Structures are given as C-alpha cells and as structure tokens.
Amino acid sequence: MVLLSESASLTARETLTVLGMRGVRADVLATHALTIGRFSRWRRRSIPAPLPSRDPLGYLAVVRRLMTSGEYEAVLATHEQAWLFAAGRLLLPQDAPIAVASIEAFDRVAGKVDFATLLDELHVPQPEWWPTGDRPSTVPYPHWVKASHGTAGRCVRRVANARQEREAIRELSSPHDSVMGQVPAPGQYGQVQALFDHGRLIAVHTSVQVGYGAGGSAAARLSVNHPEAREHAARIGKHLTWHGGLTIDYLHVDGHPRFIECNPRTVEPGNAARAGVDFPALTIALSTGAPVPDKPIVGRAGVRTRSAMALALGAAERHSSRAAVLRILCDCALSRGDVGRGVEVLTPVRNDPLSGVPLTVTALRLLARPGSASAIARGAVDDYAISPESISLVRTRSEL
C-alpha cells in the first residue's frame, strides 16, 4: 500500500492514474473531503490531515503516526510536502520509506533566487537575472518579477514599465522572502523530470507544452528528445547529491534550453509514464531499497498527453469565455487537434469513472462563470502550498 502526501494537486491525481493503471491502489492525505484525488476508484481511502501551511507540525505528526503503523510500503511526496519532509526528517521515523533529498540540497533549489545562483555557479544556461535588492541602474522591459517562493505560476508578474515593476515588487515582497527580476527568454516551454539515487541519475524525461492550464502550466504535453536538458539536469543532481525527484522548467529554441525554475519533486507523471518512465514505481523502489536501474531510463519522444480539466481551467483563465471552455472540452471529447488528441492522464473516465465527477463539476462551473477559473485553481494551491515560515518552524523543532 502506498500513501500520497496530498490529494488536491494535479500531480497527486496523475500519480493515482499511473499507479492505478498497473493495479496499485493508494491512500491519500486530505485537508478536506472534496479534493480531486477523492474521486478515483484507485484511491482506497482519504485520511484527514491538517493544512500543512498552517500546521506543519501537526501534519508531520499524522505522517509519523501512519509511518509507524507498518501499513505503507512507501510515501510519495506529490507536491511541496517534499520540502516539509526534508526539513522535518528528524521528526519522522528513521526508516520512513520517503525518497527526499537533504534540507541542505533543498536550500539550493527551493527558492528561485537560490536556484538562479546555483545555475550561475554551475554555468548552466539561464536568462539574465538580478535580485531586486541589487537592481541594475537600467533593466529591459518587459521583464519578469518573481517571488523566490511560490507555486503554480502564482508568484510571477510580467512588467512592461517601471510603474508595473514597482507594483509587482511591492505585491510579491515579504519579510520572509526575496524577489528577483529576470529577462524573458525566447522559445517553447519545457520540463525535464529526473529521479536520483543520492546524485546518481536513475530516470529522466523531457516534454514540452502544447496546451495551457491555469497559471500557464503545461496541461497538454508532447514528449521530446532534448539531450542538453537531460545532461544539465544530471549535472545539477550530481552536484547536489540529490535523492528523489527533481523537475526543472526551461525554455528552448531547437532543443537548446535556458532554465528558469526548479521543482524539488516529481511533477505530473502521466506523460513520462506513457513514454516509458514510470516515476511513481521507480520512486517506490528507491524508497524501499528495492533494485533500481543501473543505467538511466530515458523517456521516448513523440508521446502526447492531455489533462482536460486543466485545459478547461486554462482556457477560462486566458480568455474569460464560455466558447473557449466549450471548444477545448469538445476538442478533448472528439480527440481532435494537437491538444485534444493526446491521451487523457488526469481524469481518464473510461478507466476510472469516478474521475468524471471533478471534471464535470469544474466544466459546469466554468461554463456558468468563466471568471471563476483563478479562484478554483487558487483553492487547490492553498491545499498543498508550503511557506518559508512553515519550513522555519519545522527546522526549529527538528533542532531541539
């Protein structure tokens, strides 16, 4: 039996799909009853847990209790709880089957400023950037203003002039977080997903965005062969002696990447699984000490996947239009176009009929009120987001 660290994110829901398609059921931690992971025949039960951003110690106490029960083969950190597990590793059983890197490694990548600094040290390509506290006298417009910590594209602003820049810095700044500016990079958005065994690369997969979700996320993907992205990811993981999943966002022109952000965890695994890289199964093996591949598994190119619900949210957010929502839902239902003809990995209704519940409810809400897309997405983010203050609290308790 496997335990997922939360059940509100798209990653958790796709992980249930990947596990379920090979006959594995999972329990999920849930901060409320109606998370997207609740609606799956592959979910055995939902276990109540405190909101980790508000009560991280209470959340870790629930995980500890479940780990000491001996019921679970492995815990999969499907979102920012990976950072919490790293900070609170001493608060969990010593033999807890959770594959996460050290908190020192997380410190180098969990924040956007820290990750940009690391890329400079390793001479890994990225767009020009600067800390807003050390802003050059002249900067190009437009550019991005980014809070160091944040998820789902909610802490990034595109600014076209000095007034917008000042407003963005004011909105994103906090006593506990830093802010950076960064020049836009040309090209298509992609991700490299990797799994490491204490710095040794086990598996790696690259995909690019072909359809937009809320916050500009990749709601439809095409797997690609980008060896440079794989090589840079392997270097970063080796340098950090990384353990567990690591996902790095980049923009590319003709396969040449410039990296922009790091997720210190495995993100939505559906496209990779369809391309031959089963990250959940490999992470379970890594967590339990089972054999893992001697040579890295590399995902094959040319695989298209989609997440219809995420695409509908993205269409509503981008266009504020019922017609746009209906068009994308019809594309998915009829398997037409670059987006619609991908394999459904989020709510695969034919294999998992219960997954049609959140898809239907979300579609009806968006058709009734397209402007609700951002609020729907924010509600899910609030369930799994972790703040620097939460990590600081857990660090302090771990040191006692």
Side-chain angles (χ1 to χ4, degrees):
M1 181 59 61
V2 176
L3 177 67
L4 305 190
S5 65
E6 50 83 32
S7 56
S9 72
L10 303 186
T11 294
R13 173 58 249 197
E14 285 196 20
T15 299
L16 282 172
T17 298
V18 173
L19 291 171
M21 293 297 284
R22 60 183 185 86
V24 177
R25 298 181 72 198
D27 287 354
V28 299
L29 290 170
T31 59
H32 63 83
L34 298 179
T35 61
I36 186 175
R38 165 67 177 79
F39 299 95
S40 173
R41 71 183 181 92
W42 297 314
R43 175 202 60 88
R44 190 183 70 157
R45 60 174 177 161
S46 296
I47 301 170
L51 199 66
S53 60
R54 295 181 183 174
D55 185 9
L57 294 174
Y59 174 87
L60 287 174
V62 171
V63 175
R64 179 180 178 85
R65 173 176 59 81
L66 294 170
M67 284 296 90
T68 55
S69 71
E71 187 175 1
Y72 297 101
E73 179 184 11
V75 176
L76 299 184
T78 53
H79 220 282
E80 294 186 6
Q81 299 79 30
W83 189 18
L84 195 62
F85 293 153
R89 194 65 184 82
L90 295 178
L91 302 179
L92 298 174
Q94 185 175 1
D95 58 350
I98 304 174
V100 293
S102 68
I103 189 59
E104 292 79 15
F106 268 77
D107 287 341
R108 301 304 312 276
V109 300
K112 295 177 181 64
V113 173
D114 297 309
F115 182 61
T117 302
L118 174 67
L119 294 185
D120 281 347
E121 291 177 9
L122 297 179
H123 304 290
V124 173
Q126 66 175 320
E128 179 187 355
W129 72 281
W130 57 90
T132 56
D134 189 22
R135 180 185 182 277
S137 56
T138 59
V139 297
Y141 294 104
H143 68 256
W144 298 99
V145 175
K146 303 179 178 182
S148 194
H149 296 94
T151 191
R154 301 297 163 181
C155 293
V156 177
R157 304 282 189 275
R158 188 178 187 272
V159 298
N161 52 53
R163 179 185 59 79
Q164 291 182 5
E165 181 185 11
R166 289 192 297 270
E167 290 176 356
I169 292 172
R170 183 172 62 252
E171 290 174 4
L172 297 177
S173 295
S174 77
H176 305 283
D177 205 5
S178 53
V179 178
M180 62 181 281
Q182 190 163 45
V183 173
Q188 184 182 29
Y189 171 73
Q191 284 187 327
V192 53
Q193 299 166 270
L195 185 69
F196 294 91
D197 180 4
H198 298 290
R200 184 177 72 83
L201 185 65
I202 294 173
V204 63
H205 177 68
T206 47
S207 64
V208 294
Q209 179 185 55
V210 294
Y212 292 91
S217 59
R221 298 171 183 260
L222 170 67
S223 64
V224 293
N225 179 25
H226 283 176
E228 285 186 35
R230 296 196 299 265
E231 290 165 8
H232 286 304
R235 285 181 55 215
I236 292 167
K238 182 178 181 180
H239 177 78
L240 297 173
T241 320
W242 194 263
H243 190 63
L246 189 69
T247 304
I248 310 175
D249 299 356
Y250 61 90
L251 294 164
H252 84 96
V253 176
D254 296 331
H256 302 296
R258 299 176 77 183
F259 293 92
I260 55 174
E261 189 171 340
C262 181
N263 296 287
R265 56 184 175 84
T266 299
V267 302
E268 300 149 24
N271 185 269
R274 286 280 173 175
V277 182
D278 190 334
F279 280 113
L282 290 167
T283 304
I284 292 169
L286 185 63
S287 302
T288 59
V292 292
D294 292 330
K295 295 182 179 180
I297 299 174
V298 179
R300 67 180 180 274
V303 175
R304 291 179 180 273
T305 57
R306 66 161 198 249
S307 303
M309 191 180 84
L311 286 165
L313 284 164
E317 184 179 69
R318 287 166 65 85
H319 303 290
S320 297
S321 160
R322 292 183 181 88
V325 174
L326 190 59
R327 184 164 52 250
I328 201 74
L329 290 172
C330 288
D331 285 348
C332 291
L334 298 174
S335 297
R336 68 187 183 193
D338 286 345
V339 170
R341 61 193 173 96
V343 176
E344 178 64 36
V345 291
L346 184 67
T347 54
V349 178
R350 289 185 181 179
N351 293 302
D352 189 7
L354 273 176
S355 69
V357 174
L359 173 61
T360 302
V361 170
T362 301
L364 290 174
R365 287 182 66 183
L366 294 174
L367 290 170
R369 188 165 162 254
S372 65
S374 294
I376 294 171
R378 272 198 307 272
V381 171
D382 290 344
D383 270 1
Y384 56 70
I386 303 292
S387 66
E389 296 91 330
S390 298
I391 297 300
S392 178
L393 176 62
V394 170
R395 283 181 192 260
T396 299
R397 180 60 63 89
S398 297
E399 293 169 358
L400 294 178

